[in-house]
Coordinates of all heavy atoms in Angstrom, one line a residue:
Y1 N -9.6 -17.7 7.2 CA -8.7 -18.2 6.2 C -8.8 -19.8 6.1 O -8.9 -20.4 7.2 CB -7.3 -17.8 6.4 CG -7.1 -16.3 6.4 CD1 -7.0 -15.6 7.6 CD2 -7.0 -15.6 5.2 CE1 -6.8 -14.2 7.6 CE2 -6.8 -14.2 5.2 CZ -6.7 -13.5 6.4 OH -6.5 -12.2 6.4
A2 N -8.6 -20.3 4.9 CA -8.5 -21.7 4.8 C -7.1 -22.1 5.3 O -6.1 -21.4 5.2 CB -8.6 -22.1 3.3
D3 N -7.0 -23.3 5.9 CA -5.7 -23.8 6.4 C -4.7 -23.8 5.3 O -3.5 -23.6 5.6 CB -5.9 -25.2 7.0 CG -6.7 -25.2 8.3 OD1 -6.8 -24.1 8.9 OD2 -7.1 -26.3 8.7
S4 N -5.0 -24.0 4.1 CA -4.1 -24.2 3.0 C -3.3 -22.8 2.7 O -2.3 -22.8 2.1 CB -4.7 -24.7 1.7 OG -5.8 -23.8 1.4
V5 N -3.9 -21.7 3.2 CA -3.3 -20.4 2.9 C -3.0 -19.6 4.2 O -2.3 -18.6 4.1 CB -4.2 -19.6 2.0 CG1 -4.5 -20.3 0.7 CG2 -5.5 -19.2 2.7
K6 N -3.4 -20.1 5.3 CA -3.2 -19.4 6.5 C -1.8 -19.1 6.8 O -0.9 -19.9 6.6 CB -3.8 -20.2 7.7 CG -4.1 -19.4 9.0 CD -4.8 -20.3 10.0 CE -6.2 -20.6 9.5 NZ -7.0 -21.4 10.5
G7 N -1.5 -17.8 7.1 CA -0.1 -17.4 7.4 C 0.6 -16.9 6.1 O 1.6 -16.3 6.2
R8 N 0.0 -17.1 5.0 CA 0.6 -16.6 3.7 C -0.3 -15.6 3.0 O 0.2 -14.9 2.1 CB 0.8 -17.8 2.8 CG 1.7 -18.9 3.3 CD 2.0 -20.0 2.3 NE 0.8 -20.7 1.8 CZ 0.4 -20.7 0.6 NH1 1.0 -20.0 -0.4 NH2 -0.7 -21.4 0.2
V9 N -1.5 -15.5 3.5 CA -2.5 -14.6 2.8 C -3.1 -13.7 3.8 O -3.4 -14.0 4.9 CB -3.6 -15.5 2.2 CG1 -4.8 -14.7 1.8 CG2 -3.1 -16.3 1.0
T10 N -3.4 -12.4 3.3 CA -4.0 -11.4 4.1 C -5.1 -10.8 3.3 O -4.9 -10.3 2.2 CB -3.1 -10.3 4.6 OG1 -2.0 -10.9 5.3 CG2 -3.8 -9.3 5.5
L11 N -6.3 -10.8 3.9 CA -7.5 -10.2 3.2 C -7.9 -8.9 3.9 O -8.0 -8.9 5.1 CB -8.7 -11.2 3.3 CG -10.0 -10.8 2.6 CD1 -9.8 -10.5 1.2 CD2 -11.0 -12.0 2.8
S12 N -8.1 -7.9 3.1 CA -8.5 -6.6 3.7 C -9.6 -6.0 2.8 O -9.8 -6.4 1.6 CB -7.3 -5.7 3.8 OG -6.8 -5.5 2.5
R13 N -10.3 -5.0 3.3 CA -11.3 -4.3 2.5 C -11.3 -2.8 2.8 O -10.9 -2.4 3.9 CB -12.7 -4.9 2.7 CG -13.3 -4.7 4.1 CD -14.6 -5.5 4.3 NE -15.6 -5.0 3.4 CZ -16.8 -5.7 3.1 NH1 -17.0 -6.9 3.7 NH2 -17.7 -5.1 2.3
D14 N -11.8 -2.1 1.8 CA -11.9 -0.6 2.0 C -13.3 -0.3 1.6 O -13.6 -0.2 0.4 CB -10.9 0.1 1.1 CG -10.9 1.6 1.4 OD1 -11.9 2.1 1.8 OD2 -9.9 2.2 1.1
N15 N -14.2 -0.1 2.5 CA -15.6 0.2 2.2 C -15.8 1.5 1.5 O -16.8 1.7 0.8 CB -16.5 0.0 3.4 CG -16.7 -1.4 3.9 OD1 -16.4 -2.4 3.1 ND2 -17.1 -1.6 5.1
A16 N -14.9 2.4 1.8 CA -15.0 3.7 1.1 C -14.7 3.7 -0.4 O -15.3 4.4 -1.2 CB -14.1 4.7 1.8
K17 N -13.9 2.7 -0.7 CA -13.5 2.5 -2.1 C -14.1 1.3 -2.8 O -13.9 1.0 -4.0 CB -12.0 2.4 -2.2 CG -11.2 3.6 -1.8 CD -9.7 3.4 -1.9 CE -9.0 4.7 -1.5 NZ -7.5 4.6 -1.7
N18 N -15.0 0.6 -2.0 CA -15.6 -0.6 -2.6 C -14.7 -1.6 -3.1 O -14.8 -2.2 -4.2 CB -16.6 -0.2 -3.7 CG -17.9 0.4 -3.1 OD1 -18.0 0.8 -2.0 ND2 -18.9 0.5 -4.0
T19 N -13.6 -1.9 -2.4 CA -12.6 -2.8 -2.8 C -12.3 -3.8 -1.8 O -12.3 -3.5 -0.6 CB -11.3 -2.1 -3.3 OG1 -10.8 -1.3 -2.2 CG2 -11.6 -1.2 -4.5
V20 N -11.8 -5.0 -2.2 CA -11.3 -6.0 -1.4 C -10.0 -6.5 -1.9 O -9.9 -6.6 -3.2 CB -12.3 -7.2 -1.3 CG1 -11.6 -8.4 -0.5 CG2 -13.6 -6.9 -0.7
T21 N -9.0 -6.7 -1.1 CA -7.7 -7.0 -1.5 C -7.2 -8.3 -0.9 O -7.3 -8.4 0.3 CB -6.7 -5.9 -1.2 OG1 -7.1 -4.7 -1.9 CG2 -5.3 -6.2 -1.7
L22 N -6.7 -9.2 -1.7 CA -6.1 -10.4 -1.2 C -4.6 -10.4 -1.5 O -4.2 -10.5 -2.6 CB -6.7 -11.6 -1.9 CG -6.4 -13.0 -1.4 CD1 -7.0 -13.2 0.0 CD2 -6.8 -14.1 -2.3
Q23 N -3.8 -10.2 -0.4 CA -2.4 -10.2 -0.5 C -1.9 -11.6 -0.3 O -2.1 -12.2 0.7 CB -1.7 -9.3 0.5 CG -0.2 -9.3 0.5 CD 0.4 -8.7 -0.8 OE1 -0.1 -7.7 -1.3 NE2 1.4 -9.4 -1.3
M24 N -1.2 -12.2 -1.3 CA -0.7 -13.6 -1.2 C 0.8 -13.6 -1.3 O 1.4 -13.1 -2.2 CB -1.3 -14.4 -2.4 CG -2.8 -14.4 -2.4 SD -3.5 -15.6 -3.5 CE -2.9 -15.0 -5.1
N25 N 1.4 -14.2 -0.3 CA 2.9 -14.3 -0.2 C 3.3 -15.7 -0.2 O 2.5 -16.6 0.1 CB 3.4 -13.6 1.1 CG 3.0 -12.1 1.1 OD1 3.0 -11.4 0.1 ND2 2.6 -11.6 2.3
S26 N 4.6 -15.9 -0.3 CA 5.1 -17.3 -0.3 C 4.3 -18.3 -1.1 O 4.0 -19.4 -0.7 CB 5.2 -17.8 1.2 OG 6.0 -16.9 2.0
L27 N 4.0 -17.9 -2.3 CA 3.2 -18.7 -3.2 C 3.8 -20.0 -3.6 O 5.0 -20.1 -3.7 CB 2.8 -17.9 -4.4 CG 1.7 -16.8 -4.2 CD1 1.7 -15.8 -5.3 CD2 0.4 -17.4 -4.0
K28 N 2.9 -21.0 -3.7 CA 3.4 -22.4 -4.0 C 2.7 -22.8 -5.4 O 1.7 -22.3 -5.7 CB 2.9 -23.3 -2.9 CG 3.4 -22.9 -1.6 CD 2.8 -23.9 -0.5 CE 3.2 -23.5 0.9 NZ 2.6 -24.4 1.9
P29 N 3.3 -23.7 -6.1 CA 2.7 -24.2 -7.3 C 1.2 -24.7 -7.1 O 0.4 -24.5 -8.0 CB 3.6 -25.4 -7.7 CG 4.9 -25.0 -7.2 CD 4.6 -24.3 -5.9
E30 N 0.9 -25.2 -5.9 CA -0.4 -25.7 -5.6 C -1.4 -24.6 -5.4 O -2.6 -24.8 -5.3 CB -0.5 -26.6 -4.4 CG 0.2 -26.1 -3.2 CD 1.7 -26.6 -3.1 OE1 2.4 -26.6 -4.1 OE2 2.1 -27.0 -1.9

């Protein structure tokens, strides 16, 4: 993770479904 998002973002993938998910929390205007 980039430092700018570390601790607020979680990246996961499901190879059976061919998907990648980016969960973003505590979002900021930046």
Side-chain angles (χ1 to χ4, degrees):
Y1 300 99
D3 286 344
S4 57
V5 302
K6 197 172 293 183
R8 302 187 295 119
V9 166
T10 302
L11 181 57
S12 60
R13 69 186 294 164
D14 186 334
N15 285 344
K17 296 182 179 180
N18 284 13
T19 58
V20 174
T21 301
L22 186 69
Q23 177 68 44
M24 301 190 297
N25 302 321
S26 302
L27 283 163
K28 305 174 181 179
E30 51 264 43

